[in-house]
Amino acid sequence: MPHIHLEYSDNLENFAPKPVLLALNQALVEGAYVGAANELKSRAICQHDYVIGLADASQAYVHAKVSLLTGRSMELQQQIAQVILHTLERHMPAQSQVSVQICVEILEMQKATYTKKII
């Protein structure tokens, strides 16, 4: 059931988000971090308005927010964060103009208030 929100700066070279999203989903399925592949929802947004530091144009970023239902141990959350980080690293194209900061943030969604209906 994880939701992955991928945000990235528009100054990345040759970054194709859809294959990266698929790789992230595959990594979570292969690691048995999800019950079923169709539980995963991933999306990406290119950020055009952002500032890194004091407007350093030689910096870029990719930030993954992974929302999980409550109940997973801290150790498991850390494992998921590392899987996401390593997958992003492996799928980041080489950059000639910028240094890239890759960040992963784990967020917990309350089971009591999360609702879903398949129609």
Side-chain angles (χ1 to χ4, degrees), residues 69-105:
L69 287 176
T70 53
R72 290 177 174 85
S73 69
M74 183 58 63
E75 179 181 78
L76 185 55
Q77 291 179 47
Q78 290 170 336
Q79 288 175 13
I80 291 169
Q82 288 301 311
V83 165
I84 298 294
L85 181 67
H86 293 306
T87 303
L88 288 171
E89 280 182 286
R90 283 195 315 274
H91 290 85
M92 181 59 54
Q95 302 293 306
S96 64
Q97 303 295 317
V98 296
S99 296
V100 182
Q101 298 178 31
I102 301 174
C103 309
V104 178
E105 178 181 5

Short mmCIF file of all heavy atoms in Angstrom, two decimals, residues 69-105:
data_model
loop_
_atom_site.label_atom_id
_atom_site.label_comp_id
_atom_site.label_asym_id
_atom_site.label_seq_id
_atom_site.Cartn_x
_atom_site.Cartn_y
_atom_site.Cartn_z
N LEU A 69 1.36 2.85 5.90
CA LEU A 69 0.41 2.75 7.01
C LEU A 69 1.17 2.48 8.29
O LEU A 69 2.22 1.82 8.29
CB LEU A 69 -0.61 1.64 6.77
CG LEU A 69 -1.68 1.92 5.72
CD1 LEU A 69 -2.56 0.69 5.52
CD2 LEU A 69 -2.53 3.12 6.11
N THR A 70 0.67 2.98 9.40
CA THR A 70 1.31 2.77 10.69
C THR A 70 1.39 1.28 11.01
O THR A 70 0.63 0.47 10.48
CB THR A 70 0.52 3.48 11.81
OG1 THR A 70 -0.85 3.06 11.75
CG2 THR A 70 0.61 4.98 11.70
N GLY A 71 2.34 0.94 11.86
CA GLY A 71 2.47 -0.44 12.31
C GLY A 71 3.79 -1.09 11.94
O GLY A 71 4.13 -2.13 12.47
N ARG A 72 4.56 -0.48 11.05
CA ARG A 72 5.86 -1.05 10.70
C ARG A 72 6.90 -0.59 11.71
O ARG A 72 6.90 0.57 12.13
CB ARG A 72 6.26 -0.63 9.29
CG ARG A 72 5.41 -1.28 8.20
CD ARG A 72 5.81 -0.75 6.82
NE ARG A 72 5.14 -1.43 5.75
CZ ARG A 72 3.93 -1.11 5.29
NH1 ARG A 72 3.25 -0.14 5.85
NH2 ARG A 72 3.39 -1.77 4.29
N SER A 73 7.82 -1.47 12.05
CA SER A 73 8.88 -1.13 13.00
C SER A 73 9.81 -0.07 12.39
O SER A 73 9.88 0.08 11.17
CB SER A 73 9.68 -2.37 13.36
OG SER A 73 10.45 -2.80 12.24
N MET A 74 10.55 0.61 13.26
CA MET A 74 11.53 1.59 12.79
C MET A 74 12.58 0.91 11.93
O MET A 74 13.01 1.45 10.90
CB MET A 74 12.19 2.29 13.98
CG MET A 74 13.15 3.39 13.58
SD MET A 74 12.43 4.70 12.56
CE MET A 74 11.22 5.39 13.68
N GLU A 75 12.98 -0.30 12.32
CA GLU A 75 13.97 -1.04 11.54
C GLU A 75 13.47 -1.31 10.12
O GLU A 75 14.20 -1.13 9.15
CB GLU A 75 14.31 -2.36 12.24
CG GLU A 75 15.32 -3.19 11.48
CD GLU A 75 15.62 -4.50 12.17
OE1 GLU A 75 14.79 -5.44 12.06
OE2 GLU A 75 16.68 -4.57 12.81
N LEU A 76 12.22 -1.71 9.99
CA LEU A 76 11.64 -1.98 8.67
C LEU A 76 11.52 -0.69 7.86
O LEU A 76 11.83 -0.68 6.66
CB LEU A 76 10.28 -2.65 8.81
CG LEU A 76 9.61 -3.11 7.51
CD1 LEU A 76 10.53 -4.03 6.71
CD2 LEU A 76 8.30 -3.79 7.80
N GLN A 77 11.13 0.39 8.50
CA GLN A 77 11.06 1.68 7.81
C GLN A 77 12.44 2.09 7.30
O GLN A 77 12.57 2.60 6.18
CB GLN A 77 10.49 2.75 8.73
CG GLN A 77 9.03 2.57 9.07
CD GLN A 77 8.52 3.64 10.00
OE1 GLN A 77 8.77 4.82 9.79
NE2 GLN A 77 7.81 3.24 11.04
N GLN A 78 13.47 1.87 8.10
CA GLN A 78 14.83 2.19 7.68
C GLN A 78 15.27 1.32 6.50
O GLN A 78 15.93 1.80 5.59
CB GLN A 78 15.80 2.04 8.86
CG GLN A 78 15.60 3.11 9.91
CD GLN A 78 16.38 2.83 11.18
OE1 GLN A 78 16.71 1.70 11.51
NE2 GLN A 78 16.66 3.90 11.94
N GLN A 79 14.89 0.05 6.52
CA GLN A 79 15.20 -0.84 5.40
C GLN A 79 14.54 -0.34 4.11
O GLN A 79 15.18 -0.31 3.05
CB GLN A 79 14.72 -2.26 5.69
CG GLN A 79 15.53 -3.00 6.71
CD GLN A 79 14.91 -4.36 7.03
OE1 GLN A 79 14.03 -4.84 6.32
NE2 GLN A 79 15.38 -4.98 8.10
N ILE A 80 13.29 0.04 4.22
CA ILE A 80 12.56 0.55 3.05
C ILE A 80 13.24 1.82 2.54
O ILE A 80 13.44 1.99 1.33
CB ILE A 80 11.08 0.78 3.38
CG1 ILE A 80 10.38 -0.57 3.61
CG2 ILE A 80 10.39 1.58 2.28
CD1 ILE A 80 9.00 -0.48 4.19
N ALA A 81 13.63 2.70 3.44
CA ALA A 81 14.31 3.94 3.04
C ALA A 81 15.60 3.63 2.29
O ALA A 81 15.91 4.26 1.27
CB ALA A 81 14.59 4.81 4.26
N GLN A 82 16.36 2.65 2.76
CA GLN A 82 17.61 2.28 2.10
C GLN A 82 17.37 1.66 0.73
O GLN A 82 18.11 1.94 -0.21
CB GLN A 82 18.42 1.33 3.00
CG GLN A 82 19.02 2.01 4.21
CD GLN A 82 19.96 3.14 3.82
OE1 GLN A 82 20.85 3.00 2.97
NE2 GLN A 82 19.76 4.31 4.43
N VAL A 83 16.34 0.83 0.62
CA VAL A 83 16.01 0.23 -0.67
C VAL A 83 15.66 1.33 -1.68
O VAL A 83 16.12 1.31 -2.83
CB VAL A 83 14.84 -0.78 -0.53
CG1 VAL A 83 14.24 -1.14 -1.88
CG2 VAL A 83 15.32 -2.03 0.19
N ILE A 84 14.86 2.28 -1.25
CA ILE A 84 14.48 3.40 -2.13
C ILE A 84 15.71 4.22 -2.52
O ILE A 84 15.92 4.53 -3.70
CB ILE A 84 13.40 4.29 -1.45
CG1 ILE A 84 12.12 3.51 -1.19
CG2 ILE A 84 13.15 5.56 -2.26
CD1 ILE A 84 11.38 3.06 -2.42
N LEU A 85 16.56 4.54 -1.54
CA LEU A 85 17.77 5.32 -1.81
C LEU A 85 18.68 4.62 -2.80
O LEU A 85 19.12 5.22 -3.79
CB LEU A 85 18.51 5.60 -0.50
CG LEU A 85 19.79 6.42 -0.62
CD1 LEU A 85 19.47 7.85 -1.05
CD2 LEU A 85 20.55 6.41 0.69
N HIS A 86 18.95 3.34 -2.59
CA HIS A 86 19.85 2.60 -3.49
C HIS A 86 19.25 2.46 -4.89
O HIS A 86 19.97 2.54 -5.88
CB HIS A 86 20.18 1.23 -2.91
CG HIS A 86 21.01 1.30 -1.65
ND1 HIS A 86 22.19 1.99 -1.57
CD2 HIS A 86 20.79 0.79 -0.42
CE1 HIS A 86 22.68 1.90 -0.35
NE2 HIS A 86 21.84 1.17 0.37
N THR A 87 17.95 2.29 -4.96
CA THR A 87 17.29 2.19 -6.27
C THR A 87 17.40 3.51 -7.02
O THR A 87 17.69 3.53 -8.22
CB THR A 87 15.82 1.75 -6.11
OG1 THR A 87 15.78 0.50 -5.41
CG2 THR A 87 15.15 1.60 -7.46
N LEU A 88 17.18 4.61 -6.32
CA LEU A 88 17.32 5.93 -6.95
C LEU A 88 18.75 6.14 -7.42
O LEU A 88 18.97 6.65 -8.53
CB LEU A 88 16.90 7.03 -5.98
CG LEU A 88 15.41 7.14 -5.71
CD1 LEU A 88 15.14 8.12 -4.58
CD2 LEU A 88 14.65 7.56 -6.97
N GLU A 89 19.71 5.77 -6.61
CA GLU A 89 21.13 5.91 -6.99
C GLU A 89 21.43 5.14 -8.28
O GLU A 89 22.10 5.66 -9.17
CB GLU A 89 22.04 5.38 -5.89
CG GLU A 89 22.27 6.32 -4.74
CD GLU A 89 23.23 5.71 -3.75
OE1 GLU A 89 22.82 4.78 -3.02
OE2 GLU A 89 24.40 6.17 -3.71
N ARG A 90 20.96 3.90 -8.35
CA ARG A 90 21.23 3.05 -9.51
C ARG A 90 20.58 3.59 -10.79
O ARG A 90 21.05 3.32 -11.88
CB ARG A 90 20.77 1.62 -9.26
CG ARG A 90 21.68 0.82 -8.36
CD ARG A 90 21.41 -0.67 -8.40
NE ARG A 90 20.02 -1.04 -8.33
CZ ARG A 90 19.31 -1.22 -7.21
NH1 ARG A 90 19.87 -1.02 -6.04
NH2 ARG A 90 18.05 -1.58 -7.26
N HIS A 91 19.48 4.30 -10.65
CA HIS A 91 18.74 4.76 -11.83
C HIS A 91 18.95 6.25 -12.13
O HIS A 91 18.28 6.78 -13.01
CB HIS A 91 17.25 4.43 -11.66
CG HIS A 91 17.00 2.97 -11.76
ND1 HIS A 91 17.11 2.13 -10.69
CD2 HIS A 91 16.70 2.20 -12.82
CE1 HIS A 91 16.87 0.89 -11.08
NE2 HIS A 91 16.63 0.91 -12.36
N MET A 92 19.88 6.86 -11.44
CA MET A 92 20.17 8.27 -11.68
C MET A 92 21.17 8.38 -12.84
O MET A 92 22.27 7.83 -12.75
CB MET A 92 20.76 8.91 -10.42
CG MET A 92 21.08 10.38 -10.57
SD MET A 92 19.68 11.42 -11.00
CE MET A 92 18.53 10.99 -9.72
N PRO A 93 20.78 9.03 -13.93
CA PRO A 93 21.74 9.18 -15.03
C PRO A 93 22.91 10.08 -14.60
O PRO A 93 22.76 10.96 -13.75
CB PRO A 93 20.92 9.85 -16.14
CG PRO A 93 19.74 10.46 -15.46
CD PRO A 93 19.50 9.68 -14.20
N ALA A 94 24.06 9.83 -15.18
CA ALA A 94 25.24 10.64 -14.89
C ALA A 94 24.94 12.10 -15.23
O ALA A 94 24.28 12.39 -16.24
CB ALA A 94 26.44 10.14 -15.69
N GLN A 95 25.41 12.98 -14.39
CA GLN A 95 25.17 14.42 -14.58
C GLN A 95 26.50 15.12 -14.86
O GLN A 95 27.50 14.87 -14.18
CB GLN A 95 24.54 15.01 -13.31
CG GLN A 95 23.22 14.37 -12.91
CD GLN A 95 22.11 14.64 -13.90
OE1 GLN A 95 21.84 15.78 -14.24
NE2 GLN A 95 21.48 13.58 -14.39
N SER A 96 26.51 15.99 -15.84
CA SER A 96 27.74 16.71 -16.17
C SER A 96 27.75 18.13 -15.62
O SER A 96 28.81 18.73 -15.46
CB SER A 96 27.95 16.74 -17.68
OG SER A 96 26.91 17.48 -18.30
N GLN A 97 26.58 18.67 -15.33
CA GLN A 97 26.49 20.08 -14.92
C GLN A 97 26.12 20.28 -13.45
O GLN A 97 26.32 21.36 -12.92
CB GLN A 97 25.45 20.80 -15.78
CG GLN A 97 25.71 20.75 -17.26
CD GLN A 97 26.98 21.48 -17.66
OE1 GLN A 97 27.25 22.57 -17.17
NE2 GLN A 97 27.77 20.88 -18.52
N VAL A 98 25.57 19.26 -12.80
CA VAL A 98 25.07 19.45 -11.44
C VAL A 98 25.45 18.28 -10.54
O VAL A 98 25.69 17.16 -11.00
CB VAL A 98 23.53 19.60 -11.42
CG1 VAL A 98 23.09 20.86 -12.14
CG2 VAL A 98 22.85 18.37 -11.99
N SER A 99 25.50 18.56 -9.25
CA SER A 99 25.59 17.54 -8.21
C SER A 99 24.18 17.27 -7.74
O SER A 99 23.38 18.21 -7.60
CB SER A 99 26.43 18.03 -7.03
OG SER A 99 27.75 18.27 -7.43
N VAL A 100 23.86 16.01 -7.48
CA VAL A 100 22.49 15.64 -7.14
C VAL A 100 22.40 15.18 -5.70
O VAL A 100 23.17 14.31 -5.27
CB VAL A 100 21.97 14.52 -8.07
CG1 VAL A 100 20.53 14.17 -7.74
CG2 VAL A 100 22.13 14.91 -9.52
N GLN A 101 21.48 15.77 -4.97
CA GLN A 101 21.16 15.32 -3.62
C GLN A 101 19.97 14.37 -3.73
O GLN A 101 18.92 14.75 -4.25
CB GLN A 101 20.78 16.50 -2.73
CG GLN A 101 21.88 17.51 -2.55
CD GLN A 101 21.41 18.69 -1.70
OE1 GLN A 101 20.56 18.55 -0.83
NE2 GLN A 101 21.96 19.85 -1.98
N ILE A 102 20.13 13.14 -3.27
CA ILE A 102 19.04 12.16 -3.27
C ILE A 102 18.59 11.99 -1.82
O ILE A 102 19.41 11.65 -0.97
CB ILE A 102 19.49 10.81 -3.86
CG1 ILE A 102 19.99 11.00 -5.30
CG2 ILE A 102 18.34 9.82 -3.81
CD1 ILE A 102 20.59 9.74 -5.90
N CYS A 103 17.32 12.22 -1.59
CA CYS A 103 16.77 12.15 -0.24
C CYS A 103 15.57 11.21 -0.20
O CYS A 103 14.82 11.14 -1.17
CB CYS A 103 16.30 13.53 0.23
SG CYS A 103 17.51 14.84 0.04
N VAL A 104 15.40 10.53 0.92
CA VAL A 104 14.25 9.66 1.13
C VAL A 104 13.64 10.02 2.48
O VAL A 104 14.36 10.13 3.48
CB VAL A 104 14.63 8.17 1.10
CG1 VAL A 104 13.42 7.29 1.36
CG2 VAL A 104 15.29 7.82 -0.22
N GLU A 105 12.34 10.17 2.48
CA GLU A 105 11.60 10.50 3.70
C GLU A 105 10.48 9.48 3.87
O GLU A 105 9.70 9.26 2.95
CB GLU A 105 11.02 11.91 3.56
CG GLU A 105 10.20 12.38 4.71
CD GLU A 105 9.64 13.78 4.47
OE1 GLU A 105 9.82 14.35 3.36
OE2 GLU A 105 9.02 14.31 5.40
#
